[in-house]
Amino acid sequence: MDGTVQKERSDLLCMDRAALVALVTEECKEKPYRAAQIAAWLCKAALFDEMTDLPKPLIARLKECATLSYPAVFDKKVSALDKTVKFLYRLTDGQLVEAVVMRYEHGYSICISTQAGCRMGCRFCASTLGGRVRNLTEGEMLGEILVAQRSLGVRISHVVLMGIGEPLDNYDHVLRFLRLVSAKEGLNISGRNISLSTCGLVPRIADLAKENLPLTLSVSLHASDNKRRSAIMPVNDRYPLEELLPACRDYFDATGRRISFEYTLIAGENDAPADADALAALLKTSFGDRPFHVNLIPVNPVKESGFQQGSRASVLAFCRRLNRLHVNATVRRTLGADINASCGQLRHAAGQNAKGNQNS
């Protein structure tokens, strides 16, 4: 041991253009234009040795002072029904997260993870089984998109933060990710093509409203009264509907961006006609003449939850009832049903398999 302290290497995927220029000029002693070349390669998920228009001394210096946090594809499943692709990624420390790429008429959309695991405890969600391990960095979130684009040979134009984890529980990294992914010199994905889903962390909703970002906020509701919402979403004990809905109203007033409320339909729990009536009354009372949308989601059966989907007819009847009550509601299109495309299922299965192998 010579007592030398090794300087921590910087992750290029976490850098905005100013930081990348600083690295190139100060650490690597190169001209600023090299930063633009590196940024272009990062958009292709290129490794250092693939950056063929950079001089070899610069490549060598980058390897010494920087890293690339691209996730490795641990598993990849393609739906035979609709070509939805689910990636199970292994991060550099071995943690597993998921991303799902879906094709729509408007192009390709990706649903990404923001944490390894989740501590919110929603009973219907596989992502929360096992709790939260750690937050993802902005570079790791960006890497989910970059690797998916390279693997599939497509350009992704829409992003949904609705995979494993609660985005607003990883607020600082998520905010930096949003600025990176929308940067013109990067992937240049418009904020209007980005949706962020939250279970309802009221203080962070207020913080996000101040950022003046043109994204769509999706709020998980799933029940129209505190007793039933708390039974399936423990976060409601801390931030009940009396606090959550005014925060959503304030978010619209500050940003002008319509809120989308997610409502997971669970057979025998919250899918009766009376539940539709109560939901309509709650939202119309809370929002007045402000616009909002209800996104109805048939629950994905997770063995540990015991919850089951209702019939397709009952789902459509619930939607029609809301529409008749002048509530803008639609049923979310189900994609990747044959590949367990809902968040957390592949990660949980991989973890269970690993435990089984250790015990055998």
Side-chain angles (χ1 to χ4, degrees):
M1 298 286 291
D2 61 5
T4 302
V5 177
Q6 289 275 28
K7 184 178 179 180
E8 186 175 351
R9 293 191 293 169
S10 303
D11 181 5
L12 293 187
L13 297 187
C14 290
M15 292 186 174
D16 60 17
R17 177 54 63 87
L20 193 54
V21 169
L23 178 79
V24 166
T25 57
E26 297 170 16
E27 294 278 343
C28 302
K29 310 303 180 185
E30 288 280 350
K31 298 293 185 183
Y33 76 89
R34 295 295 187 189
Q37 291 177 297
I38 294 170
W41 283 113
L42 296 180
C43 288
K44 300 176 182 178
L47 302 175
F48 287 126
D49 289 332
E50 295 173 315
M51 300 178 183
T52 53
D53 59 353
L54 300 183
K56 290 183 179 180
L58 175 54
I59 293 292
R61 181 64 185 131
L62 287 173
K63 289 180 179 180
E64 292 175 358
C65 69
T67 62
L68 295 167
S69 59
Y70 301 125
V73 178
F74 183 76
D75 195 7
K76 176 181 172 183
K77 296 185 180 297
V78 182
S79 171
L81 301 175
D82 49 48
K83 305 305 179 185
T84 293
V85 181
K86 183 158 193 176
F87 290 93
L88 183 62
Y89 288 131
R90 185 190 292 276
L91 304 178
T92 54
D93 65 350
Q95 288 298 319
L96 300 177
V97 297
E98 299 172 11
V100 180
V101 177
M102 299 151 285
R103 185 174 182 179
Y104 295 94
E105 290 183 3
H106 60 246
Y108 287 90
S109 178
I110 187 169
C111 179
I112 67 167
S113 297
T114 56
Q115 296 176 309
C118 182
R119 63 176 177 172
M120 295 297 111
C122 299
R123 285 183 55 205
F124 53 83
C125 182
S127 295
T128 198
L129 298 173
R132 184 192 67 174
V133 179
R134 69 171 177 86
N135 290 329
L136 268 61
T137 68
E138 57 270 29
E140 289 173 323
M141 287 179 256
L142 192 64
E144 295 179 62
I145 304 173
L146 298 172
V147 171
Q149 287 191 148
R150 176 166 180 162
S151 176
L152 301 176
V154 301
R155 181 184 182 276
I156 290 170
S157 58
H158 291 67
V159 180
V160 182
L161 284 74
M162 196 181 180
I164 295 171
E166 161 57 55
L168 296 187
D169 191 36
N170 184 16
Y171 186 83
D172 292 337
H173 288 298
V174 164
L175 197 62
R176 289 195 286 269
F177 161 77
L178 292 171
R179 301 199 186 284
L180 284 175
V181 77
S182 60
K184 291 183 179 179
E185 62 271 16
L187 291 180
N188 194 23
I189 296 177
S190 169
R192 296 183 181 278
N193 292 345
I194 299 174
S195 296
L196 185 151
S197 176
T198 177
C199 66
L201 303 187
V202 168
R204 288 308 196 186
I205 292 174
D207 291 339
L208 189 64
K210 298 173 186 175
E211 299 294 341
N212 197 29
L213 298 172
L215 54 78
T216 296
L217 183 65
S218 297
V219 178
S220 295
L221 203 57
H222 310 317
S224 56
D225 63 80
N226 284 321
K227 182 179 179 179
R228 284 192 295 175
R229 190 166 189 266
S230 291
I232 58 176
M233 299 182 69
V235 70
N236 192 75
D237 290 332
R238 187 168 184 181
Y239 304 116
L241 292 170
E242 292 82 6
E243 296 181 28
L244 175 60
L245 292 174
C248 293
R249 187 175 63 234
D250 292 345
Y251 182 90
F252 172 81
D253 290 344
T255 65
R257 299 289 294 168
R258 184 185 70 169
I259 300 282
S260 179
F261 289 102
E262 296 158 2
Y263 191 95
T264 295
L265 287 164
I266 305 169
E269 296 280 340
N270 65 355
D271 65 341
D275 295 316
D277 296 345
L279 178 61
L282 175 71
L283 293 178
K284 290 168 72 175
T285 299
S286 299
F287 271 69
D289 59 358
R290 297 172 181 86
F292 61 86
H293 174 253
V294 175
N295 189 20
L296 299 173
I297 308 169
V299 69
N300 285 294
V302 175
K303 181 177 66 174
E304 289 80 0
S305 75
F307 291 149
Q308 297 296 323
Q309 283 187 11
S311 67
R312 180 67 176 170
S314 69
V315 170
L316 294 176
F318 195 97
C319 185
R320 286 195 299 269
R321 194 173 186 93
L322 288 177
N323 293 158
R324 285 197 296 269
L325 293 169
H326 306 290
V327 171
N328 183 0
T330 55
V331 178
R332 190 174 76 178
R333 180 182 170 196
T334 300
L335 295 173
D338 58 329
I339 57 170
N340 288 333
S342 63
C343 61
Q345 291 179 309
L346 273 187
R347 179 178 187 270
H348 179 62
Q352 293 298 103
N353 289 340
K355 290 179 183 178
N357 292 335
Q358 289 172 1
N359 295 334
S360 60

